Amino acid sequence: MFEPSRQRYLLDPGRLLPAIGPIVLFMLWYGVVELHLVNPVLLPSPWAALTALRDAITNGSLPHDFFATLARTLESFLIATAVGVPAGILLGSNERGYRSVEFLIDFFRSTPSSALIPLFMMIFGVTDINKIAIAAFAAVLVILFNSAYGVMNARKQRVMAAKVMGATRLQIFRDVLIWESLSQTFVGLRSGVSMALVIVIVAEMFIGSENGLGHRIIDAQQVLNVKDMYASILATGILGYALNVLFLILEKFVVHWNGK
């Protein structure tokens, strides 16, 4: 027998809410195809795309590209995190320091990173390092920005309480500001990993690449293999969604006191 709380959880209709979006999307997709609103050559049915996705997984061609993209995304994200979080925390704890570089941060954060691909190609050449470098550059700005604002917007009451209790500036920074900034920092990390994935996909499309989901998408488009193209796009979306969910779970585990 299930416990009452467990039974309520299993019967809770709210558990089905996340499925509504994908169902509506596939229904609209199916309707567009059935009504011939788009040329079937350019837009296959959702079932055809899902079948192509299944076949690409079972024959082993998709996992190779999937994990190549995942590896580049994680490498660039880890570099961005290692640079962006400490720099953001340090700048956020010194508001004058942050204001002195705010223009540069906002300027490059507002500049589409894909526009800088030619510059990075001149510096790093047509290599994997180029893809990782441009993705890390795009992600580090998002992470730094959120980490800095997380520190600057730390709850003043807790900072004042620490001062009243005789805490030193170092203790306030280490025991209050850093922990208070974690919630906003995780927002930056989630945005950063999504940004890294987007730029990696774009770089795989337009910078010489032999593998990766971006390479797979552009290759399928060039030979008009639309089923495989849509299957690869679906795989990219699944990867992005999985990374986002992973960070949401990690955030709930690490910043469990948020809002209390």
Side-chain angles (χ1 to χ4, degrees), residues 97-109:
Y98 180 80
R99 297 303 177 196
S100 67
V101 296
E102 184 175 21
F103 171 80
L104 291 177
I105 294 172
D106 286 343
F107 177 82
F108 284 109
R109 192 170 61 87

Side-chain angles (χ1 to χ4, degrees), residues 107 118 165 185 192 236:
F107 177 82
M165 295 173 67
T185 297
T236 302

Side-chain angles (χ1 to χ4, degrees), residues 136-179:
F137 175 79
V140 74
L141 296 171
V142 176
I143 294 171
L144 189 154
F145 174 83
N146 281 277
S147 297
Y149 268 84
V151 173
M152 288 191 286
N153 296 330
R155 295 181 188 178
K156 305 301 181 184
Q157 299 94 327
R158 294 188 179 178
V159 175
M160 290 299 298
K163 288 181 179 179
V164 169
M165 295 173 67
T168 64
R169 292 185 63 181
L170 177 60
Q171 289 174 322
I172 292 173
F173 175 77
R174 183 190 61 198
D175 300 329
V176 179
L177 290 178
I178 290 179
W179 293 98

Side-chain angles (χ1 to χ4, degrees), residues 23-66:
I23 291 173
V24 171
L25 172 63
F26 278 97
M27 287 178 64
L28 289 173
W29 183 353
Y30 179 77
V32 168
V33 172
E34 286 298 303
L35 294 173
H36 300 287
L37 299 178
V38 177
N39 188 334
V41 174
L42 302 178
L43 182 66
S45 71
W47 322 121
L50 289 172
T51 300
L53 177 61
R54 181 201 64 193
D55 293 343
I57 293 172
T58 54
N59 66 27
S61 62
L62 182 63
H64 174 70
D65 290 316
F66 183 93

Side-chain angles (χ1 to χ4, degrees), residues 66-118:
F66 183 93
F67 287 111
T69 296
L70 177 61
R72 293 184 183 113
T73 301
L74 292 180
E75 284 183 58
S76 58
F77 172 74
L78 290 174
I79 293 170
T81 301
V83 175
V85 172
I89 291 173
L90 288 173
L91 287 172
S93 63
N94 183 349
E95 192 165 348
R96 288 187 177 181
Y98 180 80
R99 297 303 177 196
S100 67
V101 296
E102 184 175 21
F103 171 80
L104 291 177
I105 294 172
D106 286 343
F107 177 82
F108 284 109
R109 192 170 61 87
S110 303
T111 302
S113 297
S114 55
L116 300 176
I117 286 178

